[in-house]
Amino acid sequence: MTAHTTPPYLRIAAEIRRRIVDGELAPGDRVPSTRRIAEEWGVALATATKALTALRQEGLVRAQERVGTVVASPPRRAAPARPRTAAAPERELTRERIVRTAIEIADAEGLAALSMRGVAARLGAATMSPYRYVNSKDDLVLLMADTVLGQLPRPSRAPAAWRTRLELGARSLWAVHRAHPWLAQIGPLTRPLMLPNLMTYSELMLSGLDGHGLDPTTMLNLNVLLYSHVQGLAVQLEREAQAQSVTGLSEDEWMDTQTSALAALTASGDYPTFTRVITAITETGYDLHLDELFEIGLTSMLDGMAVLIEGRRAKAP
């Protein structure tokens, strides 16, 4: 394949690969973003994205949160293997080790990167070995979820005041999702997972709502509402990581690509309130922080629940 017939994205990938191999780009250094590639090589953003994707598939680059695409660290040279029988890895396996390893993979690479084969490889075991302890990947994901949810506080150790108890539960659940972004991806709100540690969380929240004159339906609805607030925001954590992996663009870099579209919307005159707000924050800037949105939403919902609970208490004889 000559230089004239080689697809542009492969020529771009080859040049960036050369820079990495020659040491011009060291591990951890940022590689050109898709926007920079498009400008430097005069190609479309889609072509630039394909070039970075090719390098990512080779393991030469990786997406780093809030940074963009960087040169990946070279794989560590494996230590000489100790003589062992073929059955040794299977004897060393346990369900707990399999689950913990799967959590490490999902935390680092996302749920889409998780496979039973990958877990076996990470543990140095035969490909089919994990199936002796876990029936399927779906069952493994449920075990992973129940394990990380085990970090949540128990009702017996929670404060007695209803609002303090609900705050503790919601903030603890948010912290778990923050640490394990894949957790928000595993099931829709309408199909709750029957996991012991998730039931422990519900027990914590429902016990905080109990004894205030709320009927069972209202108690369940408020519990689901708080859970959905956490899950709804947490879904964005892994989506952002996936977007960076696909595009090679950080949040700020992606916003830069939307400048023309935003200018056209504000100049149209069709959205006066939106335009006024955007114009007002131009000087100070605006950063969307999920932690701030979580706190705003939690405070607002608890304030609303306070009105509901205190109102019923006032009506009680």
Side-chain angles (χ1 to χ4, degrees):
M1 187 177 291
T2 66
H4 293 290
T5 59
T6 302
Y9 82 93
L10 288 179
R11 294 202 301 271
I12 296 168
E15 170 57 20
I16 297 176
R17 187 186 303 111
R18 182 197 64 76
R19 297 178 189 179
I20 295 172
V21 172
D22 291 349
E24 295 177 24
L25 292 171
D29 287 350
R30 280 193 59 185
V31 301
S33 66
T34 52
R35 184 161 58 90
R36 178 71 179 274
I37 290 173
E39 293 173 352
E40 185 176 342
W41 275 274
V43 296
L45 286 174
T47 300
T49 299
K50 287 184 67 175
L52 290 179
T53 299
L55 293 169
R56 194 174 296 112
Q57 291 172 344
E58 294 179 37
L60 291 174
V61 301
R62 61 180 177 82
Q64 183 169 324
E65 187 176 359
R66 298 189 178 278
V67 175
T69 302
V70 301
V71 178
S73 299
R76 289 179 295 181
R77 187 171 298 174
R82 292 177 299 170
R84 60 196 304 175
T85 64
E90 283 78 356
R91 289 202 303 268
E92 295 174 2
L93 284 184
T94 64
R95 175 180 283 189
E96 181 180 359
R97 282 192 66 206
I98 291 170
V99 172
R100 290 293 179 188
T101 300
I103 291 171
E104 291 174 3
I105 294 173
D107 286 349
E109 304 175 44
L111 203 58
L114 179 67
S115 68
M116 298 289 276
R117 180 187 296 270
V119 172
R122 180 75 66 91
L123 290 168
T127 300
M128 300 303 291
S129 296
Y131 288 100
R132 298 185 179 183
Y133 304 88
V134 181
N135 292 330
S136 65
K137 177 182 173 181
D138 289 342
D139 288 344
L140 176 59
V141 171
L142 292 179
L143 289 170
M144 293 161 57
D146 198 47
T147 297
V148 298
L149 288 169
Q151 303 167 23
L152 297 174
R154 302 280 166 172
S156 59
R157 296 193 290 270
W162 73 267
R163 180 163 185 146
T164 309
R165 180 175 286 236
L166 295 186
E167 285 179 340
L168 173 65
R171 290 200 175 100
S172 299
L173 186 65
W174 175 244
V176 170
H177 279 81
R178 261 298 200 179
H180 310 285
W182 51 268
L183 183 59
Q185 312 285 334
I186 66 174
L189 192 67
T190 51
R191 302 186 182 193
L193 304 174
M194 298 297 122
L195 303 175
N197 284 322
L198 188 56
M199 293 305 105
T200 298
Y201 165 80
S202 290
E203 179 67 23
L204 170 71
M205 305 302 274
L206 290 173
S207 64
L209 294 166
D210 195 23
H212 301 289
L214 302 175
D215 61 84
T217 298
T218 301
M219 289 172 61
L220 283 173
N221 283 341
L222 294 179
N223 178 39
V224 171
L225 182 63
L226 285 167
Y227 182 86
S228 67
H229 174 55
V230 173
Q231 186 187 55
L233 287 177
V235 163
Q236 308 307 319
L237 296 169
E238 185 140 317
R239 285 183 178 177
E240 172 57 27
Q242 291 170 349
Q244 288 193 20
S245 177
V246 171
T247 66
L249 296 175
S250 66
E251 297 172 53
D252 292 339
E253 289 174 332
W254 184 85
M255 285 301 300
D256 288 343
T257 68
Q258 306 302 305
T259 301
S260 298
L262 179 61
L265 288 171
T266 55
S268 69
D270 295 332
Y271 316 101
T273 306
F274 174 78
T275 300
R276 187 171 68 253
V277 171
I278 293 298
T279 302
I281 66 171
T282 299
E283 296 180 0
T284 59
Y286 172 73
D287 293 318
L288 190 152
H289 295 297
L290 295 181
D291 290 309
E292 291 181 8
L293 292 182
F294 167 75
E295 289 295 337
I296 291 171
L298 177 61
T299 300
S300 299
M301 283 190 284
L302 292 177
D303 287 346
M305 292 180 191
V307 172
L308 184 63
I309 290 173
E310 298 302 328
R312 289 178 180 270
R313 188 176 295 164
K315 293 178 182 178

